[in-house]
Amino acid sequence: MTTLNMFGSKEAAQKQFAAPDHPDCLKALAALYKMKVKPLEETSFFDRFHSSLLAESEFTSNPQVLLIGQYSTGKTTFIKHLIGKDFPGIHIGPEPTTDGFSCIMHANTPNKIPGNVATADETRPFPALKAFGGGFLSKFQVSEVDSEILKHVTLVDTPGVLSGEKQSMGREYDFVQVVKWFAERASLILLLFDANKVDISDEFKKVIMCLQSHDEKVRLVLNKADLMKTDELMHVYGGVMWFLGKVFSTPEVKRSYISSFWDEPLKNPELERFMNAERDKLVTDLKGLPLGNQSRKINEFVRRVRSARVHLLILQHLRKSMPTISISGAAADQHKLLDNLHEEFDKLSKTHEVPKGDFPEVEHYREILKDGYQFNELPHVHNAELALLKEVIDKDIPQLLRHFSKEVSGTEDHSYNSSGERKGWLNFKVVGKNLQHSQEWKKRWIILKDGKFLVYRKTEDLLPKYSYDLENSSAESCPESSLSFHLHVKQVSEILDAKAKAKVKKTDEEMKVNLEMCGEDADDMSHWLHALHVHCCPAADLEMLKKMEEANSALAGGSTSES
């Protein structure tokens, strides 16, 4: 189905994405995902190859801090030290005590919420964890407690990584995959080591290896460090950093925090000042996470869209590579493609100019494809779908960043005019009672200046056809409208000369109208909205003005009655 858009051209009768339709950056990001990315992930089985589908609550939730370490490294004590108190479900001891995942979140009253309940609540960022099954959910809980730091972040406590068969024995879920799920969503990953015993088991190494694609989030915490002499501590620190450098294949030194994170007095007076500073630095960094939350989530979103596009390219390529008529048989052709999957990825990288770093790990992909997928029955992937994901990265994300530049980077985009002056063509109409002119949509030349909304038929006209006073009005987007780039200005006063006003015979209140307008695209809409906000009151301020006027009228009425 096609329709004429506001500027007279044919387009699909579907509302287009516009950042100004949303109150903040992360809600806009969630809407963009739901509108353009999620439908393609669903039809292409993206969640089976990569990561589970995202809920809106995952975009808008507090930053998460994931704590990982071998057993008895002091993770739970570390959390208690940070939040300044016990939390529901806490258990501390020298033996492996934390046998499940706990998300410690802020609430005014302490509460422990079982996994099945927490994942059923759509307002929390955990619905996708249901995919790990009942065995995992019985070992997952949300602990709520009133703590200042939890107003800024959510802490994720994990079971201590054990050695040998103990790691998997009795666990009815894939521990590494659950850690990977939390790592993808975490803003910070803290690897805790006991400075007194840094023997790294093969199991812990596997867990660390699954964090390779998130190495920029990883930080080292060398805990219980006050029990060591200074030279011993430096030796241990160097050994751990050397090991992490090999695992993450990067020359950069991981940022670290070296201290003893508990409530006991420090036992190394020589390093007491240094370790107290390390404690303070960690708390400061955690409280600062919300400041970069939008940037991090946009970065993760773009990374995910790039992965989704590569995933679609792979499915399209494998399906097309299957011959229509096969001499050796479909099974043999598919087996050959699987064996040469690395070469197939190289072909795609060169043909579509996609960096090799955007492609998934070959062995992981091969194992999933072997599990019952017939290549000639893979989902059809159309070039329009690939173009849509490219548009998300090349057009929608930059537009979102421009509109919310102050929220994301703290500075207003330089392309916006701070004076609020703007001129341009808009599709425009007026809504109000007893109007003397047409209410149909018409394309008009608009000038916004000195608190006035001036409407001209042509750019060369010297006088406006209509003039409106924007004082005590409010401008906002129309997210519920079926029209794209739709703006609404409420309670505007039409400006008439004395002769015209006498002829119309309306009161000031009857002269109030609403203006409807549609921008040419999302950027045009954003610029008009920013300009209108310079001249209009915010909706909340307008409501306050109305209440003040009503209160003044009531007082005036009471005074008249008394006199």
Side-chain angles (χ1 to χ4, degrees):
M1 178 180 177
T2 59
T3 185
L4 287 176
N5 73 357
M6 299 306 301
F7 287 84
S9 62
K10 281 191 174 183
E11 64 176 13
Q14 181 178 357
K15 184 164 181 172
Q16 298 182 54
F17 172 77
D21 274 332
H22 307 281
D24 60 57
C25 173
L26 295 181
K27 284 190 184 326
L29 198 66
L32 177 59
Y33 172 74
K34 184 178 180 181
M35 179 184 288
K36 290 189 172 182
V37 181
K38 188 177 181 179
L40 297 180
E41 289 185 353
E42 290 174 329
T43 56
S44 66
F45 312 131
F46 180 82
D47 56 324
R48 302 182 191 178
F49 290 81
H50 290 271
S51 179
S52 58
L53 304 179
L54 300 176
E56 181 180 346
S57 53
E58 294 184 53
F59 289 91
T60 57
S61 62
N62 272 350
Q64 294 183 16
V65 179
L66 178 63
L67 283 76
I68 305 173
Q70 299 183 118
Y71 78 92
S72 195
T73 53
K75 294 190 305 299
T76 306
T77 303
F78 175 88
I79 292 174
K80 179 185 175 184
H81 172 75
L82 286 179
I83 66 177
K85 60 182 73 176
D86 289 347
F87 57 87
I90 188 172
H91 185 193
I92 299 172
E95 76 286 355
T97 54
T98 303
D99 65 345
F101 287 75
S102 294
C103 290
I104 299 92
M105 308 179 75
H106 179 266
N108 291 328
T109 56
N111 191 21
K112 185 169 78 170
I113 304 170
N116 283 292
V117 178
T119 54
D121 185 352
E122 293 291 335
T123 65
R124 299 180 186 275
F126 309 120
L129 287 171
K130 288 182 281 192
F132 292 108
F136 167 74
L137 294 181
S138 66
K139 298 294 184 181
F140 172 64
Q141 68 177 27
V142 171
S143 298
E144 294 183 326
V145 64
D146 186 11
S147 172
E148 178 63 28
I149 198 167
L150 295 179
K151 294 178 182 178
H152 308 278
V153 298
T154 294
L155 302 175
V156 182
D157 193 12
T158 62
V161 180
L162 305 175
S163 301
E165 294 181 358
K166 294 178 182 178
Q167 171 65 11
S168 57
M169 187 171 57
R171 281 184 177 155
E172 300 176 9
Y173 60 91
D174 190 326
F175 177 80
V176 173
Q177 287 303 311
V178 175
V179 168
K180 188 177 178 182
W181 187 94
F182 277 106
E184 288 169 352
R185 289 152 177 81
S187 297
L188 191 66
I189 302 170
L190 298 180
L191 286 180
L192 272 80
F193 292 87
D194 183 341
N196 299 275
K197 46 179 183 179
V198 290
D199 179 39
I200 299 170
S201 67
D202 291 339
E203 288 71 24
F204 191 32
K205 186 175 180 179
K206 288 179 184 176
V207 173
I208 296 175
M209 291 288 285
C210 85
L211 305 175
Q212 280 185 320
S213 58
H214 308 286
D215 67 307
E216 77 283 357
K217 303 177 185 179
V218 176
R219 303 288 183 270
L220 165 67
V221 176
L222 207 55
N223 199 16
K224 305 182 183 180
D226 70 321
L227 301 175
M228 305 188 72
K229 296 179 180 179
T230 305
D231 57 340
E232 294 174 335
L233 183 58
M234 293 302 101
H235 178 74
V236 168
Y237 172 75
V240 173
M241 297 305 290
W242 176 83
F243 167 76
L244 292 179
K246 288 186 64 178
V247 171
F248 290 109
S249 303
T250 174
E252 291 87 2
V253 175
K254 294 294 173 193
R255 187 168 181 179
S256 59
Y257 307 94
I258 305 173
S259 187
S260 290
F261 296 91
W262 57 1
D263 298 327
E264 300 294 327
L266 296 174
K267 299 180 179 179
N268 185 341
E270 184 180 347
L271 291 175
E272 184 174 355
R273 184 177 177 183
F274 165 75
M275 291 187 180
N276 280 327
E278 291 285 281
R279 287 176 170 180
D280 294 340
K281 181 175 72 171
L282 175 57
V283 172
T284 301
D285 289 349
L286 292 180
K287 286 186 176 180
L289 283 177
L291 295 176
N293 194 33
Q294 291 93 340
S295 298
R296 280 189 299 272
K297 291 195 175 181
I298 291 170
N299 182 60
E300 289 296 323
F301 177 80
V302 171
R303 178 188 290 183
R304 184 183 181 98
V305 175
R306 293 172 72 95
S307 295
R309 185 169 180 270
V310 169
H311 174 66
L312 293 182
L313 283 170
I314 293 170
L315 295 186
Q316 183 188 63
H317 175 75
L318 292 177
R319 185 181 175 102
K320 285 183 176 180
S321 297
M322 292 293 288
T324 307
I325 300 174
S326 175
I327 299 175
S328 57
D333 293 329
Q334 180 167 319
H335 188 74
K336 183 179 178 181
L337 282 170
L338 279 172
D339 285 345
N340 299 322
L341 197 58
H342 193 283
E343 288 79 5
E344 302 302 323
F345 282 7
D346 286 343
K347 287 181 192 175
L348 281 172
S349 176
K350 293 175 182 177
T351 303
H352 296 276
E353 298 181 343
V354 178
K356 290 184 179 181
D358 286 357
F359 280 80
E361 201 276 317
V362 174
E363 283 305 319
H364 170 72
Y365 229 75
R366 183 184 285 124
E367 288 303 312
I368 296 175
L369 287 169
K370 283 181 180 178
D371 190 19
Y373 286 94
Q374 303 299 319
F375 288 4
N376 51 11
E377 296 178 3
L378 289 172
H380 280 284
V381 176
H382 303 284
N383 289 334
E385 295 170 331
L386 293 168
L388 186 67
L389 292 181
K390 193 171 188 304
E391 181 182 77
V392 169
I393 296 172
D394 295 344
K395 177 184 173 184
D396 295 325
I397 290 296
Q399 186 260 320
L400 181 148
L401 288 171
R402 284 191 293 271
H403 183 73
F404 293 109
S405 60
K406 195 168 185 179
E407 182 182 337
V408 176
S409 63
T411 57
E412 195 77 77
D413 190 285
H414 63 83
S415 63
Y416 294 115
N417 189 339
S418 59
S419 71
E421 291 189 14
R422 184 166 177 78
K423 59 176 113 178
W425 290 101
L426 276 177
N427 279 282
F428 156 85
K429 74 173 182 177
V430 182
V431 179
K433 296 180 181 179
N434 305 315
L435 291 174
Q436 301 302 308
H437 51 84
S438 172
Q439 297 183 43
E440 297 298 319
W441 286 98
K442 291 185 178 180
K443 193 172 183 179
R444 292 288 181 260
W445 181 254
I446 307 297
I447 295 180
L448 196 58
K449 185 177 180 180
D450 299 330
K452 305 294 188 291
F453 189 96
L454 309 175
V455 183
Y456 298 80
R457 288 181 181 272
K458 301 175 183 177
T459 55
E460 59 267 24
D461 289 349
L462 297 177
L463 296 174
K465 179 68 175 175
Y466 308 110
S467 301
Y468 301 95
D469 188 349
L470 297 175
E471 185 179 3
N472 296 338
S473 63
S474 69
E476 57 192 27
S477 61
C478 303
E480 303 304 321
S481 170
S482 60
L483 299 173
S484 297
F485 321 126
H486 190 177
L487 296 173
H488 183 72
V489 185
K490 295 180 180 178
Q491 293 297 293
V492 176
S493 299
E494 187 171 0
I495 302 171
L496 299 175
D497 57 33
K499 184 177 178 181
K501 194 168 185 179
K503 185 178 178 180
V504 174
K505 293 181 181 179
K506 293 182 187 177
T507 66
D508 289 342
E509 192 57 36
E510 288 174 329
M511 295 294 292
K512 296 279 188 182
V513 294
N514 297 331
L515 306 181
E516 306 285 338
M517 61 203 76
C518 285
E520 188 172 2
D521 55 30
D523 273 324
D524 190 44
M525 174 191 185
S526 179
H527 278 86
W528 279 107
L529 187 59
H530 274 81
L532 284 164
H533 281 166
V534 175
H535 301 280
C536 302
C537 289
D541 290 354
L542 185 62
E543 188 66 28
M544 182 63 69
L545 282 171
K546 286 182 179 179
K547 289 181 179 179
M548 289 173 65
E549 288 174 2
E550 291 171 1
N552 290 334
S553 297
L555 286 171
S559 300
T560 304
S561 300
E562 289 174 7
S563 60

